[in-house]
Amino acid sequence: DHGVANGGFGISLRQDEDGTLTALVDNNTIQDTGFDGIVVRARDGTLGTGTCNATITNNTLLTAPATFGAGITLTSDDDNTLCANISGNSAPGSGTFTPLDDDIYIDADDTSVMNITQASAIALGAANTAASVGIGTGTGTINFGAVACPTP
């Protein structure tokens, strides 16, 4: 139920501190967002033990974000780790401020680690509907070709 046109984020997952979040976002139709269609963030870890495992599959963003934003955004910050398997999605970005609003945007900041199961940014784009992939300039580590993420 979209209620208000251009009203914010579509689906938002956030893992905070030093806990673990394991989530499946599958087979959703998202529309009328003002910003990112799907956003996943792992942040605020102080002990280096915070982990987010996200499987994002078969989702459709019907319209690009109205203001700016990516179809799918993943960010890891601080000491946290984010593992992501992203495939079968159609999620256009707004294309206003590349690379922040490509179809898929990934960034690892601070000393965080992001593990992507696809072998490369090109493979990540190919696993989704003709997706452009923007990669941020954070100081963390992004690993492609990672092992499959735990699922719920």
Side-chain angles (χ1 to χ4, degrees), residues 3 37 54-55 92 94 99 144:
T55 301
S94 66
F144 288 98

Side-chain angles (χ1 to χ4, degrees), residues 75-127:
T75 60
S76 58
D77 298 311
D78 304 309
D79 294 327
N80 291 38
T81 298
L82 192 155
C83 181
N85 181 19
I86 308 165
S87 65
N89 300 288
S90 175
S94 66
T96 309
F97 300 105
T98 302
L100 297 174
D101 57 5
D102 279 321
D103 299 337
I104 298 172
Y105 175 72
I106 59 176
D107 194 13
D109 290 318
D110 305 310
T111 58
S112 69
V113 176
M114 183 175 300
N115 296 315
I116 305 292
T117 58
Q118 286 78 11
S120 66
I122 292 170
L124 177 58

Side-chain angles (χ1 to χ4, degrees), residues 52-64:
C52 178
N53 301 300
T55 301
I56 303 169
T57 53
N58 307 311
N59 298 287
T60 302
L61 181 60
L62 293 179
T63 55

